[in-house]
Amino acid sequence: MRIAIAGFQHETNTFAPTMTKYEDFVMTDSWPGLLRGDMVMSETCGMNLPITGAIKSAEAFTDSNQGRPIDLIPLLWCSAEPGGYVSDDAFDRIAGMICDGIAASGQIDGIYLDLHGAMVTASHFDGEAELLRRIRAVAGDNIPIAISLDLHANVTHEMVNYANLITIYRTYPHLDMAATGGRAMDGLLHILSGAQIASGFRQIPFLIPLPAQYTGADPCLTIYQHILQISSDHGSFAEWAMGFSASDIPDCGPSVLAYAPTSERADAMVADICDRIMAAEADFDPMLIDPKPAVQIALNNTSARPVVLADVQDNPGAGGSGDTTGLLKALYSADADGVVYGVICDPDFTQIAHQAGIGAQVKTALGGKSGVANDTPFEAEFIIHALHDGIFTYTGEMYGGGIAEIGRACLVSPVGAADIKIVVSTYRTQCLDQCFFTSFGIDLTATRIIALKSTVHFRADFESLASQIIHVAAPGLFECRLERLPYQHLRGGMRWGK
Ligand SMILES: [Zn+2]
């Protein structure tokens, strides 16, 4: 059997002002840059990526079925940091490479795709469906296609119709990315073995803010436990995408999918899960607090363990600029001490810091340069504690084994507030791993407040340290108070915000 594999991931925040270009997919960030051919296998090996899990599943199948080895044909894999609309140039070039690769592969039996499910391009609300339409035009309608998607996918009827099978992460923080890719490959092999499976699909009529999508607590925890209970094997299982609220498209929002030997069974599974999600609507609370009161709560906490202040609305992993200063200003004005804060993206600042050198003091502006509403630079004199080449080795569970390339970085403090230590980077990165602090020699257990730019992923590596976690609603391009967003394209009947 010959199976073509490819990956093309983007989570598009249509409210972010900057277009996502081809170069953004080529660039290495927390994940590899654009990979082609055999590099897809070698450069993703050992990482927690869907395509890695899919490759492992195919290899395991080969090992257990000597008579029917699987010949994987790696075509391409790429992703870009979440951000604004994907340019037509980027989409056409990358989709073209995947389609050309399929056309050049000769006879193939199946296709596996590692996609996000919330890609919006300059010309297409549903980037994944357009990609699948082009792939179907080359591969035909008879070749089974299996896809794995992010938990934040905005799944559409077109995606479900083009694909024979879709699997979706079941954890946020996403600890099961590789497992989800493996499940898609297992399902594809199940179909290729001759199994008939039917799908059921339904969209939920309200948006869920991302801070309320944490799967380690209710309401999500109990619903996912139920999904696991009723998913019995590769031919009978259910999936729930919670959706990405910053993609202003008609299909934005949560949805439920199920696959089973009959469509009656698949529909019944979908109905059962939808009922549980609908019943929990009032419980999806993002629990946001403004910066000043949030800092006060942290300062009043007398535990020996740190408080995490999550700057949830300036998460680069959701399209945030990573440079807003609202929370930093609130910490500074409150004379907070024992604070570490990361990661603020400011290429001008890191250049100045690297020129000035360790121990130097520079009067300049930090952050606030992206034109985000209600945000301005933080002007101060800074002391440069440390410089860094910007290559960080992840140590947490989610990205462990991988490397973050964030460009030249530094650790600084405002003069007169030496106990507020700030990590500054050249490229945007979500602060979801302790390595961004520990690489500078910081002992996080000895801090009082850990402030970080992340919405939920930080929980995987920071929750065990924290006595308390607070979601701070400071300025950012990833607005979590959904009632404040100027949606124009949501479908009729959608509900969002309070
Ligand atoms: Zn996600």
Side-chain angles (χ1 to χ4, degrees):
M1 271 194 288
R2 305 183 77 234
I3 296 176
I5 61 171
F8 182 12
Q9 284 215 22
H10 195 253
E11 180 179 68
T12 307
N13 179 337
T14 60
F15 300 105
T18 312
M19 187 76 77
T20 303
K21 302 191 185 74
Y22 179 71
E23 293 70 35
D24 298 313
F25 288 94
V26 172
M27 184 180 144
T28 303
D29 43 35
S30 301
W31 283 346
L34 190 145
L35 305 169
R36 303 197 68 179
D38 290 340
M39 297 275 279
V40 172
M41 315 270 276
S42 58
E43 298 302 301
T44 60
C45 186
M47 298 182 73
N48 179 18
L49 286 176
I51 199 160
T52 317
I55 293 166
K56 265 187 147 177
S57 274
E59 287 170 352
F61 184 87
T62 298
D63 289 345
S64 61
N65 291 266
Q66 294 301 329
R68 300 181 71 203
I70 307 248
D71 187 8
L72 291 181
I73 307 156
L75 302 176
L76 175 149
W77 188 92
C78 68
S79 75
E81 189 73 10
Y85 288 97
V86 175
S87 73
D88 285 337
D89 170 65
F91 182 77
D92 290 341
R93 284 168 79 176
I94 296 165
M97 287 184 233
I98 294 173
C99 289
D100 290 349
I102 290 169
S105 296
Q107 173 67 37
I108 53 172
D109 300 290
I111 298 171
Y112 161 75
L113 299 170
D114 173 358
L115 308 177
H116 182 289
M119 188 191 306
V120 188
T121 77
S123 295
H124 301 284
F125 276 142
D126 184 354
E128 280 82 6
E130 177 59 18
L131 173 69
L132 288 163
R133 188 189 68 75
R134 295 183 190 190
I135 289 174
R136 280 287 181 213
V138 176
D141 294 332
N142 298 326
I143 305 245
I145 298 179
I147 302 173
S148 57
L149 297 177
D150 192 285
L151 173 143
H152 299 114
N154 294 316
V155 186
T156 69
H157 287 278
E158 290 75 17
M159 282 187 220
V160 176
N161 290 338
Y162 281 125
N164 296 73
L165 181 135
I166 296 176
T167 61
I168 299 167
Y169 308 162
R170 292 167 174 163
T171 57
Y172 184 29
H174 304 329
L175 300 177
D176 64 335
M177 291 184 279
T180 305
R183 201 158 69 245
M185 180 61 79
D186 288 339
L188 179 61
L189 295 171
H190 188 66
I191 292 170
L192 288 171
S193 74
Q196 294 292 320
I197 60 170
S199 62
F201 176 62
R202 199 190 292 179
Q203 294 172 317
I204 301 287
F206 58 83
L207 301 185
I208 303 176
L210 262 70
Q213 295 185 0
Y214 173 47
T215 56
D218 278 335
C220 303
L221 178 63
T222 303
I223 297 171
Y224 275 106
Q225 282 172 340
H226 181 70
I227 288 171
L228 285 179
Q229 262 170 21
I230 64 170
S231 298
S232 55
D233 57 45
H234 305 315
S236 186
F237 60 93
E239 305 283 352
W240 173 26
M242 283 201 262
F244 186 58
S245 55
S247 299
D248 182 15
I249 59 169
D251 288 297
C252 181
S255 59
V256 176
L257 262 166
Y259 295 93
T262 65
S263 54
E264 288 75 19
R265 173 71 192 132
D267 288 341
M269 289 166 84
V270 168
D272 169 31
I273 297 162
C274 285
D275 286 349
R276 289 163 194 264
I277 297 167
M278 297 294 286
E281 180 173 359
D283 302 328
F284 293 106
D285 184 346
M287 295 188 286
L288 298 165
I289 299 179
D290 284 334
K292 268 190 186 170
V295 169
Q296 268 321 313
I297 294 168
L299 292 175
N300 293 340
N301 183 309
T302 54
S303 165
R305 293 159 63 211
V307 176
V308 170
L309 292 177
D311 198 351
V312 296
Q313 302 197 128
D314 188 30
N315 171 13
S321 59
D323 81 330
T324 67
T325 58
L327 176 54
L328 176 59
K329 286 174 183 163
L331 288 160
Y332 184 76
S333 344
D335 285 328
D337 60 350
V339 178
V340 293
Y341 190 3
V343 175
I344 294 185
C345 173
D346 189 333
D348 296 339
F349 190 98
T350 52
Q351 190 179 354
I352 290 167
H354 277 256
Q355 272 169 3
I358 294 170
Q361 294 191 6
V362 292
K363 196 168 182 335
T364 185
L366 172 62
K369 298 167 186 170
S370 296
V372 175
N374 304 313
D375 192 59
T376 54
F378 178 74
E379 311 262 0
E381 187 160 5
F382 295 90
I383 180 157
I384 319 295
H385 298 301
L387 301 173
H388 199 286
D389 64 2
I391 312 284
F392 291 79
T393 304
Y394 285 119
T395 53
E397 184 181 355
M398 188 170 154
Y399 281 176
I403 292 174
E405 294 192 22
I406 66 172
R408 289 196 301 185
C410 57
L411 182 72
V412 303
S413 292
V415 171
D419 220 11
I420 297 181
K421 293 194 169 62
I422 309 160
V423 178
V424 189
S425 67
T426 300
Y427 305 124
R428 295 184 301 135
T429 196
Q430 179 173 185
C431 189
L432 51 67
D433 193 291
Q434 293 185 25
C435 73
F436 295 115
F437 300 112
T438 54
S439 301
F440 284 103
I442 292 169
D443 175 4
L444 287 170
T445 61
T447 61
R448 192 170 173 201
I449 295 175
I450 302 170
L452 43 77
K453 290 184 181 290
S454 174
T455 308
V456 169
H457 283 325
F458 71 90
R459 287 177 181 270
D461 208 26
F462 290 89
E463 193 162 43
S464 60
L465 289 174
S467 59
Q468 187 177 11
I469 290 173
I470 301 170
H471 296 164
V472 186
L477 291 173
F478 184 59
E479 178 62 69
C480 294
R481 293 160 296 189
L482 303 185
E483 67 278 8
R484 298 190 179 192
L485 281 170
Y487 286 115
Q488 292 182 353
H489 303 296
L490 299 183
R491 63 186 178 275
M494 281 302 278
R495 304 188 286 274
W496 67 93
K498 287 184 177 170

